[in-house]
Amino acid sequence: MNLVAISTSNDLEFFQNSSLYQGFDTATFALHQPDVHFLLLENNQPLARCSLWWDTVPTYEAERIGFIGHYESLSNETAEELLEQACQHLVKQACTLAIGPIDGTTWRKYRFVTESPLGAPPFLLEPTNSPDYPKQWLQQGFTPLVHYTSALQSSLEADLEVTRRLDKLVNTRLAKAGIAFRSLDRGRIERELETIFNISLKSFADNFLYSPISKEEFMLSYQKILPFALPDLVLFAELDGEAIGYVFGIPDVLQKQRGETLDTFIIKTLAVLPEHTNKGLGTVLVDLVIRKAKELGFKKAIHALMLETNQSQTISERFSSHLLRRYTLYAKRLF
């Protein structure tokens, strides 16, 4: 086996037809701009791949971190060789801690699925991976850094007492403060996406391992899912006509692709501007989008991809949700 370092998208074109590169093409490479991409070959056939980032990564405690992402491997043997070489390269860049899998930023694909107690199939926008991958990383000295969860709300029937309290909050304190709620306006979709982008940048700025992405990349990522979006599942909280928070829900169209009844929607993102947190807005937005989904005929909700210590998980637990999936981000000390 030999390791090839690729630094330009043109160098990657030769391998695009390999099964190892499904879902990863030269356009993705150019957009994500890894500092280097490693490809493990045998007889000119790709056996494993990964990308490294160290120049544009966020700060983490007193560490100099390097990210490992774009990870795929056909066997445990190739995984061992690839991860060893990747870590050695990060050491040469004076990195003290390797973190992964993460495709350069938490705006993109990151984390491995490590637990699935309900045995449910993947939902729309959920990261997937071979069940061997977490074991491969553990065998190479990586240990869990943080965990994330997705939760299933198996019924959208409201708790009457919770509904009463939230209605009172909306109709008294929030209304008196000038806060109102509205659905997505498809007639001005570009402006709506810009609003979501601006709120997200500010709301997520203190998130774990956060780093911003370009407006162009953000718009591209959302334009891919807009055909599936329903305006009443994307809600904004506004103060004097200016958006201060939003919740983005979307039908789990993978159900339909599997020939199942489309009865589940996903609470993809919840964001409130920092200066407006602790007002109950997050809980109200989730409650309102669940009510809208019930009116549209949905029966279940997935509260997606929440950091275990994040406020969004606390909100999810208020809606009687159950663990659907757990994900893990790993780290390895380099020196």
Side-chain angles (χ1 to χ4, degrees):
M1 292 184 290
N2 63 300
L3 191 73
V4 175
I6 294 174
S7 56
T8 70
S9 54
N10 289 338
D11 296 333
L12 201 63
E13 289 183 354
F14 182 78
F15 304 102
Q16 289 303 284
N17 293 327
S18 165
S19 61
L20 200 68
Y21 280 89
Q22 290 182 358
F24 181 69
D25 54 22
T26 55
T28 302
F29 182 92
L31 188 65
H32 291 187
Q33 297 183 321
D35 291 305
V36 69
H37 181 73
F38 281 139
L39 179 58
L40 197 63
L41 298 172
E42 187 170 66
N43 297 324
N44 217 32
Q45 294 299 311
L47 301 179
R49 63 170 167 91
C50 74
S51 293
L52 305 182
W53 293 260
W54 60 83
D55 272 344
T56 58
V57 295
T59 58
Y60 174 63
E61 298 181 349
E63 307 287 354
R64 173 169 167 74
I65 61 175
F67 285 161
I68 303 176
H70 295 158
Y71 177 81
E72 297 287 347
S73 180
L74 297 182
S75 71
N76 293 337
E77 179 186 6
T78 55
E80 178 181 359
E81 176 69 18
L82 180 70
L83 289 172
E84 182 178 343
Q85 293 285 352
C87 289
Q88 288 179 9
H89 194 80
L90 289 176
V91 169
K92 293 177 182 177
Q93 310 308 318
C95 294
T96 61
L97 192 72
I99 296 177
I102 178 170
D103 292 357
T105 170
T106 54
W107 288 94
R108 304 177 191 134
K109 182 180 179 181
Y110 70 109
R111 305 163 286 204
F112 283 144
V113 174
T114 50
E115 187 178 346
S116 185
L118 300 182
F123 55 84
L124 183 69
L125 305 176
E126 184 181 23
T128 59
N129 56 265
S130 164
D132 290 332
Y133 288 179
K135 302 171 188 176
Q136 291 169 358
W137 285 54
L138 288 170
Q139 289 171 353
Q140 293 310 306
F142 285 83
T143 57
L145 179 62
V146 288
H147 298 285
Y148 303 78
T149 61
S150 290
L152 176 66
Q153 184 178 343
S154 55
S155 171
L156 303 189
E157 295 297 329
D159 182 301
L160 294 180
E161 179 60 24
V162 171
T163 298
R164 185 190 66 80
R165 290 200 305 267
L166 291 175
D167 284 345
K168 183 178 180 181
L169 175 62
V170 171
N171 296 323
T172 56
R173 182 152 60 91
L174 296 183
K176 288 178 181 178
I179 296 174
F181 302 88
R182 68 168 178 86
S183 299
L184 177 80
D185 184 351
R186 277 198 175 273
R188 53 174 191 173
I189 194 63
E190 290 296 324
R191 286 184 58 189
E192 298 285 62
L193 287 180
E194 286 182 6
T195 296
I196 290 173
F197 175 67
N198 291 331
I199 292 175
S200 299
L201 285 185
K202 296 176 182 177
S203 175
F204 302 148
D206 293 330
N207 279 11
F208 185 66
L209 294 180
Y210 173 87
S211 61
I213 59 169
S214 69
K215 183 178 175 180
E216 174 191 11
E217 182 175 351
F218 178 88
M219 293 294 195
L220 284 172
S221 67
Y222 268 78
Q223 285 167 0
K224 292 177 181 177
I225 62 174
L226 278 179
F228 310 122
L230 300 177
D232 281 346
L233 295 184
V234 183
L235 304 179
F236 294 91
E238 293 185 330
L239 177 61
D240 299 328
E242 294 293 327
I244 60 174
Y246 74 90
V247 60
F248 196 104
I250 190 167
D252 183 13
V253 296
L254 292 189
Q255 285 188 299
K256 195 171 182 179
Q257 293 178 15
R258 292 191 297 264
E260 303 170 4
T261 300
L262 178 52
D263 65 356
T264 304
F265 86 105
I266 302 157
I267 301 176
K268 175 188 178 297
T269 312
L270 172 66
V272 175
L273 291 177
E275 60 268 32
H276 295 287
T277 56
N278 301 319
K279 295 180 180 178
L281 278 178
T283 301
V284 169
L285 281 166
V286 171
D287 177 65
L288 290 176
V289 80
I290 288 173
R291 293 194 205 188
K292 290 285 189 180
K294 186 174 183 294
E295 291 173 5
L296 291 170
F298 291 94
K299 307 296 184 184
K300 304 173 186 177
I302 293 173
H303 301 248
L305 301 165
M306 304 168 289
L307 182 65
E308 282 195 335
T309 57
N310 195 282
Q311 178 66 18
S312 58
Q313 180 158 313
T314 302
I315 293 173
S316 169
E317 290 170 352
R318 294 173 183 166
F319 291 90
S320 302
S321 53
H322 308 281
L323 180 64
L324 174 68
R325 211 97 67 213
R326 178 168 278 113
Y327 319 85
T328 303
L329 191 64
Y330 293 89
K332 179 179 180 179
R333 175 153 298 286
L334 300 175
F335 66 84

